[in-house]
């Protein structure tokens, strides 16, 4: 089985294994994948392109760290961000739907959260996810990873996003 070359030293083995399993399942079913990432900063996209011979399943990734990027690249309505906040169920759902609408992917996942300490009212480790497969219902997931550090939150969020995408393959 192929391994991820670029990040294999910095990503937990189970996360790398999930990426490989997802890519294999997507390749077997001729499905294309897209990501809309905020707090993971492109980590999911990187993992999905690091596996030799399976990267063709990855269609595109949107790294949308700012509110402006979420609105401009994915079409997330500014009013939705202003009303609910960039880290919310509503914005995660809009991000996933926007990634699907702005790509040729069959499955799209979105991640928006606080990887570390932000403003005093922000909860470190709060992350919202959404995943959609074309023609199906969008699924939401909320995690409270806690104040475990930016890197640990990013890895945990990547794991959760990969699990959601793998569920959407079937």
């Amino acid at each position: 089985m192929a391994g991820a070359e670029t990040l294999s030293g910095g990503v937990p083995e189970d996360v790398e294994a999930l990426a490989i399993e997802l890519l294999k399942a997507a390749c077997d079913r001729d499905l294309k994948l897209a990501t809309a990432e905020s707090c993971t900063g492109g980590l999911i996209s990187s993992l999905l392109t690091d596996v030799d011979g399976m990267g063709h399943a990855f269609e595109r990734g949107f790294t949308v760290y700012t509110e402006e990027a979420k609105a401009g690249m994915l079409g997330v309505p500014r009013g939705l961000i202003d009303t609910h906040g960039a880290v919310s169920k509503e914005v995660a759902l809009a991000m996933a739907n926007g990634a699907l609408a702005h790509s040729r992917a069959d499955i799209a996942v979105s991640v928006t959260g606080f990887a570390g300490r932000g403003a005093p009212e922000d909860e470190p480790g709060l992350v919202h996810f959404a995943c959609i497969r074309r023609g199906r219902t969008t699924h939401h997931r909320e995690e409270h990873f806690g104040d475990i550090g930016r890197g640990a939150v990013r890895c945990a969020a990547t794991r959760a996003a990969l699990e959601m995408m793998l569920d959407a393959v079937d």
Side-chain angles (χ1 to χ4, degrees):
M1 180 180 289
E5 286 183 30
T6 306
L7 294 174
S8 59
V11 174
E13 287 183 22
D14 69 305
V15 175
E16 183 180 317
L18 268 173
I20 294 167
E21 184 180 357
L22 169 61
L23 286 166
K24 183 174 179 354
C27 288
D28 289 349
R29 293 166 182 81
D30 197 29
L31 296 171
K32 300 290 183 196
L33 309 171
T35 62
E37 301 179 66
S38 185
C39 68
T40 50
L43 181 57
I44 302 163
S45 297
S46 183
L47 275 175
L48 295 177
T49 58
D50 281 347
V51 181
D52 189 38
M54 293 189 228
H56 61 277
F58 182 71
E59 207 275 327
R60 73 183 70 188
F62 301 89
T63 302
V64 290
Y65 203 69
T66 66
E67 294 174 4
E68 291 78 16
K70 289 172 179 67
M73 292 177 73
L74 299 174
V76 176
R78 286 297 311 205
L80 193 70
I81 295 170
D82 293 342
T83 301
H84 300 284
V87 178
S88 64
K89 174 182 180 178
E90 293 79 7
V91 169
L93 293 169
M95 287 170 61
N97 283 292
L100 202 63
H102 292 89
S103 72
R104 293 183 178 164
D106 302 292
I107 297 170
V109 70
S110 67
V111 183
T112 183
F114 300 114
R117 295 189 176 275
E121 68 275 4
D122 297 339
E123 176 191 336
L126 169 63
V127 182
H128 287 273
F129 306 84
C131 187
I132 184 170
R133 179 166 172 177
R134 201 171 291 281
R136 296 188 185 173
T137 305
T138 308
H139 294 277
H140 170 259
R141 180 170 168 177
E142 179 178 330
E143 291 289 345
H144 300 264
F145 297 116
D147 194 2
I148 59 175
R150 294 182 68 78
V153 169
R154 290 177 72 216
C155 282
T158 297
R159 180 183 295 110
L162 293 170
E163 289 169 353
M164 289 181 78
M165 292 182 91
L166 192 55
D167 287 346
V169 168
D170 293 324

